Amino acid sequence: YANDAYTRLTGYNAHEVVGQPFRDVAGDEIDPAVRQGILDAFNCERLHQVELWRRHKDGTGYWVDLSLVPIPSQAGGVAHWVAIQRDATERKRTEESLRASEEQLRTSEERLRLIGDNLPAGAIYHIVAHSEFDVRFAYVSAGVERIFGFPPGVMLEDPELVYRLIHPDDLNKVRAAQRDSHRDLTPFDVEFRTHTIAGEMFWVHCRSMPRRLADGRTERYGVILDVTERKRAEEALRRSEEMFRGIFESTAAGISLADNSGRFLSCNPAFAANLGRSVEQVIGLRIVEVTHPDDWKAQQPLVDELRSGVRERFAITKRYLRPDGETVWGELSVAAIRGPDREFRYGLGVSIDVTARRRLEEQLQEARKLEAVGRLAGGIAHDFNNLLTGMIGHLSLVQLPADDPNRGHLAAIDQAAMRAADLTRKLLGFARRSQIVPMPVSPREAFDGIVKAFRRRAEEGRVHIAAKIAADCGSILADPVLLHQALLDLSLNSFEAMPEGGTLTLTASPLVVVENDATVCPEARPGAYVRLSVADTGSGMTEAVRGQLFEPFFTTKEAGKGKGLGLAMVRGIVKQHGGWVECHSSPMAGTRFDLHFAAAATGGSGSRLMHVGSAVDALTVTPSPTETTVTDALPDPALRTILFVDDDEMIRKIGRTVLDKAGYRVLQAQDGLEAVNVFARERGRIDLIVMDMTMPRLSGRDAFRQIARIAPNARVLFSSGFSPEDIADIEGSVGLLSKPYRPPELVAAVRDALALMAVVG
C-alpha cells in the first residue's frame, strides 16, 4: 500500500510500487552502512529510523526521514511493515548549515532565521544547557507559533513553559532523552505528546545534535516537527490491523495460509477446529496430511495449476482428516497470492464446514433411491398379490374326497402360495405399504415372543438373551405381527453374528423428541416415542457395510443363505409406523439396532373394518384345500346386489363364483371407469361396491369419488395389498379387505360390511 503523500514525495504512483520490492534499500548512492542497518532491522524485526538519500522518479535527489515500524502477528513474528517517510531535504539542509562553523553560523544567522521561519509544520531551535536540568533557548524560529500557539519570544523568556505543556505520561521520557544527550552527546531524538497554549493535544517529533563547548556547556541545534497526522495514520493503521485480526480470529469460516510447498503458515481458530486441532498443531502441517487421499487426487492437479499460473483460484468440496480418524466435509476456495514477478508465493484458503449438509444430502439421496425401489417393489407386489389371490381362490374352490391322493399335492401348492404371499408382504414392508393393524403393544409382550422363538436356539448356541425394560416405559402403537417380524429378523441376524456364543440384549426405554432437536435423527418428528433396541456382542460391521445396510437385496451372507430383504423390510415396517431406525456398530464391537415407535395413547378406535387375509400372517398354518370352503360361510339373510370391481379377470371370476354361491347378486366391472358407468346405470339396486384400489384408466379411489357424486350414500369395501392408510381419508369407505385373501374371507368381509352399514344407517 502507498498513500498519496508517497506519490508526491517520490513521483511513483501506487500501482507502480504495490507488489514491488522495497526501493529504499536499492541503489548505488545509498551508504552501505545505512543499507546494512535497514536490512538488520528487517532481519531482527525491530523498529528502525534512518536518514536516507533517495532519487525522485524524475532523477532529482532528496532526503527522507525513514521510520520502519514492524506490525506483529498473534502467531508470532511480523505480519507486515509500515514505512513512514517524510521529506527531510529542507531539514537536512538546515542541519548542514547548523553544523557549519560558529563563524559561518554568525554570518548566516539571517539566512537560518529565514529558513526556520518558513519550515512547514515545524520550527528550528538552538539551546544551550549549563547542566542537564538547566536548559535555555538561544534561538527559536517563528514556526513555533504555528505549533504551540505562542511567539518565539515566550520560549526564550520562559524555557520551562515547553516542559509544562508536555503530556504528563511523556514528560519522563523527554527528560531522560535530554539527560542522555547532555551526558553522552547522543542525538536527542524523541516523539511525545504535548499541548498548545489553548490546551489542544498533538504529537511532535524533536531531534537535535549536541556539541560540547569549550566552557563545558552543551549546545544543541534541532528541529521540532508536528507529526500529529502521521501518528493518527499510524493509529488508524493499528485499529485496522486489530479489526482485521478480530475478523480473522472470530469468523466462522476457516481461513488458512499455505506456502509454495503446501505447508500451513497460519490459520484461524475456526479452521483448526474443523480439523480437530489447535492453531499451533495445524501450523507446519502439509495440506496433503489433513486431506482424504481420494480427495487429494482431485485437489493436487488444481494446486499444480495454481502454482504454474494456469489459474488464479479454484473451489473444491473435500474431506478433511481429523486425528481421531473422523472425516469432515468442507467447501474450500483457494486463491493465489503472487510476488512482483508473478511467481506463486502463498495459497489463501477459505473453508466452510458442510458436514451436516452433506449428511442430509446423503440421507435425501438414500431416501429417494429407496422410494424409487419401493415404488417398483410395491408395483410388483400388487401384481403378485392379484396372482396369489386368484391362485389361492381357485385352490379353495377345489373339493376333493378325503382319500384322494392329490390332496397332498394341492396342499403343497397352497403352502407354496403362502410362502409367496409372505415374500410379497416383505416387499410391501420394504415399500412401506404393507397392511398394518395398529394396536397398543407392551414391550414385554413383544420381547416375550422373541425369547420364546429363540429359547432353544439360544441354549444350543451358548447365547444369553436378556430383556431390560425401563420402569417408565409404556406401550407402543404398532401392528403386533409386523413388530414381531421386525424383531425376529434383527434377532436372527444377531444370532448369526455370534457363532461362538454371546449376549443378545433387548431393551425398551421412553424417548421424547422436541422441535429442532439436533441430537436425534433428522427423520424424527416431535412427540413421545418408545425405543426398542436389539443389541449383540457379535463381530460388528465396517462403515462401508453400514452404508449399504438397508439397501434392498444387499447381504453379506453366502449365496443361497439370504435374500437381502430382511433389514430393508425392518426399515420399511418402522417407517410405515411413523418411526425411524438407527444402527450403531463397529468391527469386533457388536451391533445395536434402535427401533423408534410412537408411544401408545389412549383413545377410541376407528369405525372402519379391517380384514386381513390368511397369507398376511406368516405364522398361520394354512389349511389344506376343501377344509374351509365357501359353503361354510353363513348366507346373507336378504338378497343383496354387489358391484365387484377388479382389473384382474381371474379375481373377477372367483369373486362372481364365491359371492353367487353365498347368495348375493353380482355385477362386475374390469376397471374404475367401467365401475362408474355400471353404478350410474344400476345404482338403484347396488347395495355395496367391492373395488380394487389399483386399476388402469381410473383408480379405485378416483372411481369411488365419481360414484359418490352420483350417489352420496354409496358405500365401498376396498380390496388391496397396500396399507389401510390409503383409504383413511375416503368418505364412504367401510373398510379394507387385504390381498391375497381366501373365498371365505371375501364372503365374511362383504357380510360384515353390510352389517356395519345397517348399524350406522
Side-chain angles (χ1 to χ4, degrees), residues 94-95 98 123-126 207-209 220-224:
T94 302
E95 289 180 353
L98 290 175
I124 61 175
Y125 63 88
H126 174 209
R207 180 179 175 86
S208 60
M209 301 297 294
R220 295 203 309 269
Y221 293 93
V223 294
I224 304 173

Side-chain angles (χ1 to χ4, degrees), residues 425 441 445-454 478-491 569 573 597 617 619:
R425 178 169 166 269
V441 180
E445 179 184 352
F447 290 166
D448 284 347
I450 299 301
V451 173
K452 291 176 183 177
F454 286 97
D479 185 309
V481 175
L482 295 179
L483 174 62
H484 180 79
Q485 183 68 53
L487 294 175
L488 197 69
D489 283 347
L490 292 178
S491 300
M569 188 192 71
I573 288 173
F597 289 88
D617 188 352
L619 302 179

Side-chain angles (χ1 to χ4, degrees), residues 534-570:
V534 179
D536 62 59
T537 57
S539 55
M541 292 177 284
T542 64
E543 183 178 354
V545 172
R546 289 203 314 273
Q548 297 178 272
L549 201 59
F550 296 107
E551 292 184 4
F553 307 110
F554 171 77
T555 179
T556 58
K557 300 177 182 178
E558 298 177 12
K561 293 189 177 181
K563 300 180 179 64
L565 279 175
L567 291 177
M569 188 192 71
V570 169

